[in-house]
Amino acid sequence: MGVGITEFLTNQLGAEHPQVIPISVFIAILCLCLVIGHLLEENRWVNESITAILVGAVSGTVILLISKGKKSHILVFDEELFFIYLLPPIIFNAGFQVKKKKFFHNFLTIMSFGVIGVFISTVIISFGTWWLFPKLGFKGLSARDYLAIGTIFSSTDTVCTLQILHQDETPLLYSLVFGEGVVNDATSVVLFNAVQKIHFESLNGWTALQVFGNFLYLFSTSTILGIAVGLLTSFVLKTLYFGRHSTTRELAIMVLMAYLSYMLAELFSLSGILTVFFCGVLMSHYASYNVTESSRITSRHVFAMMSFIAETFIFLYVGTDALDITKWKTSSLSAGGTLGVSGVITAMVLLGRAAFVFPLSILTNFMNRHAERNESITFKHQVIIWWAGLMRGAVSIALAFKQFTYSGVTLDPVNAAMVTNTTIVVLFTTLVFGFLTKPLVNYLLPHDASHNNTRNRDKRTEPGSPKEDATLPLLSFDESASTNFNRAKDSISLLMEQPVYTIHRYWRKFDDTYMRPIFGGPRRENQPEC
């Protein structure tokens, strides 16, 4: 797996195992990146992604000088390495750490942004690049490539914005940005896989329906598999109670079952990213309450650590790969053509995101106009949501390598051009948009104003206490048919007026009554907000 300066270091150090040298160097650079990120933490102008890219670029420059212009990176990126080893801990941690109350309370809005938004963005980016690339002299891409480009650049990276937003002050905005980021990545990967199954030799009017059907199949089956594994793990931990003998075993069960869910999804040609996300959500909701307190605390730190290292690893590689001389020489585009193509892609990303964020926000506000408990998505919030999804990250890089390279290497000039342009777009959006995120958020949401809005919102009275509606929507056999009929009628009326809040409240009652006694977890009245 090691290339570049391996021979140089082997000759200098006399190592018996050449593979050990590049890995050791990369780990050392990774440690350096963590130290620099710690020193820059209080600045908050740069996040871990920006730090890793800059450190990677500097490291790539040094390696390039040492190897006399032959190589700029130590390791060759293999998309299988990303999808099998690096992506699972990132997505699982997102599901495990998600604030479930806010996530599911805004579930419909998050799903509309993360699913419908990806479809809209994919269409705009695909058709935009198909129309403009030939005008710039960039030809040779197939219809499958253009659709793949749409999915590749519809995947977002919201880490930078999330580090700046204050969850306690803007809970709605934070929940939407975080939730959409996770669902967006999952949808992009599922849609990417669906595109690969299209038979372009026999296109007809049913092709779009087939793509949508494949997407629904992958989305639903992957979600069900993740939920099933999460519930199975919770049931096993609750029934056997590993903690009475060894806290190590219960933590190991959680880690292994999470990884098993991802591998099962890949084995059955489903979406591992969706499966492991919902597995993480279910484990956090049930399984984490079936282990000892020490294991519960340890598991959160372990999953967060694994995710953090994987993300830093990826962005560090992106920084070094930006100076890959081989790809630049192989590319069919000149320097001006590369700037033109990457500029078109960036413009399509801006347009594609605006095409769904603002309309769907207006639609969400209209649907929730009767819900006193729900905040509206203000125009300033819409701008921040739009901006948060402009950065491109690890998933875009991985999908581009999967589409246009073989084990990280390509000898085709057109494919090499797409890989270099993907790297440029990721670098530009992460660095430039990332640096501008803090001043934009501070300008649109001044700290004092947002804090006052939160305090005013907390003073509002919430309609319909869950305790008052404890029997809804569950019908009772001990009461008359007319009583049950009136209860059902009231439930339907409430559902029509406040769909999201009503569904969420009914689910809490069902969860307390049926799910928690079987799969574990404290009663709702004893559970802290999560």
Side-chain angles (χ1 to χ4, degrees), residues 402-446:
K402 189 173 185 178
Q403 179 69 21
F404 299 108
T405 71
Y406 179 76
S407 296
V409 179
T410 179
L411 300 178
D412 183 87
V414 175
N415 290 344
M418 277 310 308
V419 173
T420 55
N421 277 282
T422 302
T423 303
I424 290 174
V425 172
V426 171
L427 288 173
F428 178 81
T429 56
T430 303
L431 294 176
V432 177
F433 294 161
F435 275 121
L436 296 175
T437 298
K438 183 178 180 180
L440 176 68
V441 172
N442 288 340
Y443 174 75
L444 294 176
L445 297 177

Side-chain angles (χ1 to χ4, degrees), residues 4-20:
I5 61 171
T6 302
E7 296 83 0
F8 173 81
L9 291 177
T10 301
N11 295 332
Q12 296 296 319
L13 301 178
E16 297 180 359
H17 305 286
Q19 296 291 339
V20 175

Side-chain angles (χ1 to χ4, degrees), residues 1-3 6 9 18-27 74-75:
M1 200 167 56
V3 295
T6 302
L9 291 177
Q19 296 291 339
V20 175
I21 295 176
I23 296 176
S24 300
V25 173
F26 198 89
I27 293 176
I74 309 170
L75 305 176

Side-chain angles (χ1 to χ4, degrees), residues 6-254:
T6 302
E7 296 83 0
F8 173 81
L9 291 177
T10 301
N11 295 332
Q12 296 296 319
L13 301 178
E16 297 180 359
H17 305 286
Q19 296 291 339
V20 175
I21 295 176
I23 296 176
S24 300
V25 173
F26 198 89
I27 293 176
I29 297 174
L30 185 62
C31 293
L32 176 63
C33 181
L34 299 181
V35 173
I36 296 176
H38 168 71
L39 296 176
L40 297 176
E41 178 68 22
E42 294 183 359
N43 190 328
R44 294 186 71 92
W45 279 87
V46 293
N47 59 7
E48 287 85 359
S49 303
I50 296 176
T51 303
I53 288 177
L54 293 177
V55 172
V58 173
S59 303
T61 303
V62 174
I63 296 171
L64 195 64
L65 295 175
I66 293 177
S67 63
K68 298 180 180 180
K70 294 181 180 180
K71 298 289 182 181
S72 68
H73 48 71
I74 309 170
L75 305 176
V76 174
F77 186 88
D78 186 347
E79 65 274 9
E80 294 301 322
L81 168 69
F82 175 82
F83 284 104
I84 299 299
Y85 299 108
L86 298 179
L87 186 61
I90 296 175
I91 302 302
F92 177 81
N93 181 66
F96 194 80
Q97 306 284 359
V98 68
K99 299 297 182 180
K100 296 178 291 296
K101 181 177 181 179
K102 297 297 182 182
F103 179 83
F104 287 105
H105 183 70
N106 300 299
F107 185 73
L108 295 182
T109 305
I110 290 173
M111 293 302 292
S112 65
F113 284 160
V115 178
I116 299 176
V118 168
F119 273 89
I120 295 174
S121 178
T122 298
V123 170
I124 291 177
I125 295 175
S126 297
F127 279 96
T129 53
W130 170 79
W131 180 51
L132 293 174
F133 277 5
K135 297 181 182 298
L136 298 174
F138 184 41
K139 302 177 181 179
L141 295 173
S142 64
R144 189 189 307 276
D145 289 333
Y146 281 115
L147 287 177
I149 289 172
T151 61
I152 289 170
F153 291 103
S154 292
S155 174
T156 65
D157 181 35
T158 58
V159 173
C160 185
T161 307
L162 289 173
Q163 288 186 334
I164 296 173
L165 291 177
H166 299 278
Q167 184 172 356
D168 294 334
E169 296 181 0
T170 55
L172 172 65
L173 182 60
Y174 189 95
S175 175
L176 293 179
V177 172
F178 176 85
E180 190 226 338
V182 175
V183 177
N184 172 283
D185 286 344
T187 305
S188 298
V189 174
V190 172
L191 190 56
F192 178 88
N193 292 332
V195 167
Q196 305 306 312
K197 297 181 180 181
I198 299 176
H199 299 288
F200 287 90
E201 301 79 11
S202 56
L203 288 177
N204 52 53
W206 294 99
T207 302
L209 290 178
Q210 290 174 353
V211 172
F212 186 68
N214 287 333
F215 172 82
L216 287 181
Y217 168 76
L218 291 173
F219 200 96
S220 58
T221 52
S222 301
T223 300
I224 292 173
L225 178 60
I227 292 174
V229 174
L231 290 178
L232 176 62
T233 306
S234 304
F235 181 77
V236 169
L237 289 173
K238 185 177 187 297
T239 304
L240 301 182
Y241 188 48
F242 288 84
R244 69 173 179 267
H245 296 305
S246 171
T247 57
T248 304
R249 286 194 182 96
E250 57 187 4
L251 182 59
I253 285 291
M254 294 179 69

Side-chain angles (χ1 to χ4, degrees), residues 482-498:
S482 59
T483 302
N484 282 327
F485 176 78
N486 291 332
R487 178 177 294 128
K489 182 179 178 181
D490 294 339
S491 300
I492 295 175
S493 299
L494 190 59
L495 179 63
M496 296 298 293
E497 293 179 2
Q498 305 177 28

Side-chain angles (χ1 to χ4, degrees), residues 270-291:
L270 302 177
S271 172
I273 187 173
L274 261 179
T275 298
V276 78
F277 172 74
F278 281 100
C279 180
V281 172
L282 268 294
M283 281 194 186
S284 174
H285 193 59
Y286 297 115
S288 61
Y289 294 100
N290 299 331
V291 298

